[in-house]
Amino acid sequence: MRTITLRRSLAALFVAALSFGAITQAQAEALRIGYQKYGTLVLLKAKGSLEKRLAEQGIEVKWTEFPGGPQLLEGLNVGSIDFGVTGETPPVFAQAAGADLLYVASEPPAPTSEAILVPKESPVQSVADLKGKKVALNKGSNVHYLLVRALEDAGLKYSDIQPVYLPPADARAAFERGSVDAWVIWDPFLAAAEQQLQARTLRDGTDLVDNHQFYLATRSYAERHPQVISALVEEIRAVGEDSKSDPDKVTEQVAPLLGLPGDITAIAVKRQGYGARFITPEVVEAQQKIADTFTALKLIPRKLSIAEVIWTPPAGKVAQAAQ
């Protein structure tokens, strides 16, 4: 009798241990999101709706800020985050470097939210005048492609300029002290330089680039947690729709997060694209063109296939996204 009782007790303890382990694992499950200083993810983080939605599934949301897209995708590549947002070019460089990522969704084009700047009193009056000049940019960022296209449109080669690869804060410092002749940058850094430094816009992305913002995930996370990724995109889309309908409210929310005055923040907010959608064939085609451009310039070592790294949403989610 004692033996039977002991066995039953041990069995009960074993079941309890398994249950506790399952609960602990569920509690420990996390979605790690990388974001930059500006964009829809900043608004989503402030809103807190994603945390509430995923808490019901026992998933904790953890946020990590990055200074730019290349740095964020390096975090994605080494496994420190599961999901993040960047401009058009960083995913191309990341894929070329072997990162196992997937494109999940994109925002509408926002070509005016990136530009080539020169100091107010600069003698440079056109992109063609940049020949032989030092141009600061974040290597592999969205503005890298803008610079390539602008030079091409002006009849110049990339080799006709002296690229100076710097992250935004260092690039602004170099621009202010006159160590570089031009700076290619995105919002809100762009809006801040225009207003605070009276920097002159030489050329923005209009008629040159789409300047999509892309949401990406590690392949392993997206394949293991398709419903979480879908929920995340739905929350991003909802925040974007709210932003389109009330840009003044967004400005009020974002300005203190950026540490910028409201008038500067408002400029950036109004130039941004809102309304995340799953990736369409047209977006794949545009992104393939960017990849092929950098391959031709020998800035990436091999030809890429963008179609091979597009995430497929669960059945029914694509139709919902189109509504």
Side-chain angles (χ1 to χ4, degrees), residues 23 25 28 34 44 47 90 109 123 144 151-152 160 169 187 241 247 278 322:
I23 293 170
Q25 184 177 10
L44 180 61
K47 185 178 181 181
H144 203 151
L151 292 171
E152 180 184 80
D160 286 329
D187 277 327
E241 293 301 323
F278 294 122

Side-chain angles (χ1 to χ4, degrees), residues 87-90 114 138 140-146 186 211-213:
E88 296 170 321
T89 305
E114 61 177 359
N138 197 30
S141 67
N142 58 332
V143 297
H144 203 151
Y145 184 59
L146 168 62
W186 60 89
N211 191 30
H212 287 290
Q213 293 293 301

Side-chain angles (χ1 to χ4, degrees), residues 243-317:
S243 301
K244 284 194 294 186
S245 63
D246 196 349
D248 292 336
K249 181 179 178 181
V250 174
T251 297
E252 186 178 338
Q253 285 181 304
V254 173
L257 299 175
L258 298 179
L260 290 172
D263 59 338
I264 293 176
T265 304
I267 294 171
V269 165
K270 290 174 182 177
R271 290 195 292 217
Q272 186 178 348
Y274 298 101
R277 294 290 183 269
F278 294 122
I279 306 299
T280 64
E282 292 77 16
V283 172
V284 173
E285 183 180 353
Q287 194 69 356
Q288 185 65 54
K289 182 179 179 182
I290 295 174
D292 292 343
T293 296
F294 283 108
T295 303
L297 289 170
K298 302 188 184 305
L299 290 174
I300 58 175
R302 61 189 175 88
K303 183 174 176 59
L304 304 177
S305 172
I306 301 301
E308 292 179 357
V309 291
I310 303 299
W311 181 67
T312 302
K317 292 297 181 181

Side-chain angles (χ1 to χ4, degrees), residues 113-197:
S113 67
E114 61 177 359
I116 303 172
L117 299 178
V118 293
K120 182 174 64 172
E121 304 300 334
S122 172
V124 174
Q125 297 299 318
S126 69
V127 175
D129 294 337
L130 291 176
K131 185 172 184 177
K133 299 292 193 295
K134 292 181 179 180
V135 181
L137 70 150
N138 197 30
K139 185 177 182 180
S141 67
N142 58 332
V143 297
H144 203 151
Y145 184 59
L146 168 62
L147 177 60
V148 170
R149 286 288 294 113
L151 292 171
E152 180 184 80
D153 190 63
L156 297 180
K157 299 177 181 178
Y158 192 71
S159 57
D160 286 329
I161 63 156
Q162 300 179 54
V164 180
Y165 299 125
L166 295 170
D170 293 338
R172 171 160 171 158
F175 185 78
E176 285 191 71
R177 65 174 177 263
S179 299
V180 296
D181 302 290
W183 180 23
V184 199
I185 190 59
W186 60 89
D187 277 327
F189 305 102
L190 169 60
E194 289 172 328
Q195 299 301 308
Q196 295 172 337
L197 306 179

